Amino acid sequence: MTEQPTFFITGTGTDVGKTFVAKLLVYGWYCNYWKPVQTGIESDCGDTFTVTHYPIGKWNTLVFPPRYELQKPLSPLAAMEYESNDNNKDIKLEDFQIPDGSNKAPLIIEGAGGVYVPITKKLEITTDLITHLIESTTRPFYVIVVADSGLGTLNHSLLTWEHLKQKVSKKNLLGCILNGKANKNNRQLLEQYGINIITEVPICDNLEMCIQVIEKLPSLEYVINKY
């Protein structure tokens, strides 16, 4: 059996629509879903719940539970300090492996925040987790950056992309998805700097809009072949 691809979704920062885009891809590309580290569960149901309990379409996604769930809405490194029931909690990159049984469909992995979010007490960051996962699997592995489409995205997106180019092989960098009101100038400038814009998605206020966006998504096969 041909191994199914894995897509790691990261962002240019907090609240750029990473979970929303992950959800669109889960139901538009018929993917399974995994969030390796979830923080902030004291005040939020978590991204796994958001992606899977409000389905868009009839795809019955297979969900893999987070390896770590932390109470405080902070970076994993900072949130570890507040785990009162386990003062010795110590996240290590070796704790993370592509879930068994996930190869029956493409897999969406959603990271915590952006590429420089601290994860371990060794000060390893999201990018280190990405490279660890790439090295620990034989599956095709692609990184997708989610960015806001509006003012400020050029700096954030270009810095994120340049960092990834330094740390991750070019063959693993798929491109960027812009989230928000379409901005032709920003898209063109990002493309001039060599970033593949996979698609642009608007903010959706209701299920009907989400379904319309999914119907317009480029197919998984098209995106990979174009890449």
Side-chain angles (χ1 to χ4, degrees):
M1 180 179 66
T2 302
E3 291 192 291
Q4 297 282 358
T6 294
F7 302 93
F8 192 104
I9 309 297
T10 188
T12 57
T14 302
D15 294 330
V16 295
K18 185 164 43 47
T19 301
F20 169 65
V21 170
K23 181 173 182 174
L24 293 178
L25 298 183
V26 162
Y27 291 98
W29 287 356
Y30 305 106
C31 298
N32 293 326
Y33 177 85
W34 180 43
K35 176 94 173 183
V37 183
Q38 176 68 61
T39 62
I41 61 172
E42 69 174 9
S43 57
D44 190 88
C45 58
D47 296 333
T48 300
F49 184 92
T50 300
V51 168
T52 58
H53 283 73
Y54 302 98
I56 311 170
K58 298 181 179 179
W59 168 243
N60 187 23
T61 182
L62 183 61
V63 178
F64 299 93
R67 178 63 178 81
Y68 286 98
E69 291 184 299
L70 307 174
Q71 296 294 320
K72 294 296 181 180
L74 304 168
S75 72
L77 173 60
M80 275 190 284
E81 301 301 319
Y82 293 88
E83 293 297 300
S84 58
N85 62 336
D86 187 356
N87 293 326
N88 295 317
K89 187 177 289 294
D90 186 8
I91 297 175
K92 294 181 173 60
L93 292 186
E94 304 82 64
D95 297 335
F96 301 99
Q97 302 294 331
I98 302 295
D100 291 337
S102 64
N103 200 32
K104 296 179 181 179
L107 177 67
I108 295 290
I109 302 176
E110 183 183 350
V115 293
Y116 242 101
V117 167
I119 296 177
T120 74
K121 293 178 180 178
K122 293 182 179 180
L123 302 184
E124 292 160 315
I125 60 176
T126 295
T127 315
D128 296 311
L129 174 59
I130 291 172
T131 56
H132 165 73
L133 292 173
I134 290 172
E135 292 168 358
S136 64
T137 185
T138 59
R139 295 174 61 158
F141 196 107
Y142 304 101
V143 179
I144 296 175
V145 176
V146 176
D148 188 284
S149 61
L151 185 66
T153 199
L154 296 177
N155 183 64
H156 298 159
S157 300
L158 292 171
L159 284 173
T160 297
W161 195 254
E162 287 301 312
H163 169 76
L164 285 168
K165 283 168 60 179
Q166 295 295 320
K167 301 294 184 178
V168 180
S169 173
K170 182 180 178 181
K171 69 180 182 179
N172 299 112
L173 299 181
L174 190 60
C176 179
I177 293 179
L178 296 175
N179 177 47
K181 185 177 179 180
N183 188 311
K184 182 179 179 181
N185 289 336
N186 282 346
R187 174 172 183 157
Q188 289 179 341
L189 281 169
L190 291 174
E191 290 176 330
Q192 288 176 27
Y193 276 96
I195 300 179
N196 173 39
I197 303 301
I198 298 169
T199 190
E200 298 175 89
V201 297
I203 296 173
C204 296
D205 296 325
N206 53 59
L207 178 60
E208 182 179 355
M209 289 182 65
C210 289
I211 292 173
Q212 291 174 356
V213 171
I214 283 181
E215 290 174 346
K216 295 179 181 179
L217 285 177
S219 70
L220 183 153
E221 292 78 10
Y222 172 81
V223 170
I224 292 178
N225 290 334
K226 180 182 177 183
Y227 162 82

